Amino acid sequence: MALAAVGTAYTLHAYEHDPATPSYGEEAAEALGVTPDRVFKTLVADVDGELTVAVVPVAGQLDLKALASAVGGKRAAMADPAAAERTTGYVRGGISPLGQRKRLRTVLDSSASEHATICVSAGRRGLEVELSPADLAALTAAVLAPIGRG
């Protein structure tokens, strides 16, 4: 994995993904035995015409106004799923903030810093990577901001 090449400490967690599950993130939290506030989902939004990645706890929701504000934008809406998949190179439910086809602006919910490590998708359903929020922010050039609610 590219994380090893840059010397980042991480742990990969694989689990059996159930295609019928209504929430990929909650499924991951349960499978890994961690609280949902430590498992973060990767969402792609359109902020003033520019795709932007938001990484928020699976237990909550993305505050689109807060996301727009965090990157100096005016309006944010969820991106078209096909555009998100095409741009990141990942399928919905497996979009990772790491290793995307095209590097996008990234905002990490500030609640991540309350944890020593968090889990994010490793690029496919049923595979999570656990790493420190500081490492994730550094690797993705993420801005930390309160963009989650809930």
Side-chain angles (χ1 to χ4, degrees), residues 12-149:
L12 273 181
H13 300 282
Y15 60 92
E16 195 62 41
H17 166 64
D18 175 4
T21 190
S23 169
Y24 300 129
E26 289 176 16
E27 176 191 40
E30 188 174 312
L32 302 179
V34 299
T35 58
D37 63 332
R38 280 193 48 224
V39 177
F40 282 63
K41 56 189 169 189
T42 305
L43 303 172
V44 181
D46 181 315
V47 180
D48 297 336
E50 186 178 341
L51 291 182
T52 303
V53 172
V55 185
V56 296
V58 301
Q61 294 181 322
L62 171 61
D63 181 333
L64 288 165
K65 285 183 182 180
L67 175 65
S69 177
V71 295
K74 294 186 185 331
R75 290 190 100 119
M78 293 307 297
D80 171 67
E85 289 179 348
R86 191 172 46 255
T87 304
T88 64
Y90 296 118
V91 297
R92 210 173 111 230
I95 293 178
S96 176
L98 301 162
Q100 296 177 356
R101 182 177 290 149
K102 178 182 179 195
R103 190 171 193 151
L104 300 174
R105 293 187 297 188
T106 301
V107 182
L108 175 60
D109 185 65
S110 53
S111 70
S113 30
E114 298 168 9
H115 308 285
T117 60
I118 61 171
C119 298
V120 296
S121 175
R124 68 174 169 83
R125 298 171 189 155
L127 189 63
E128 294 280 309
V129 62
E130 181 178 354
L131 72 169
S132 79
D135 284 342
L136 178 61
L139 291 165
T140 59
V143 172
L144 262 71
I147 58 167
R149 64 172 184 231

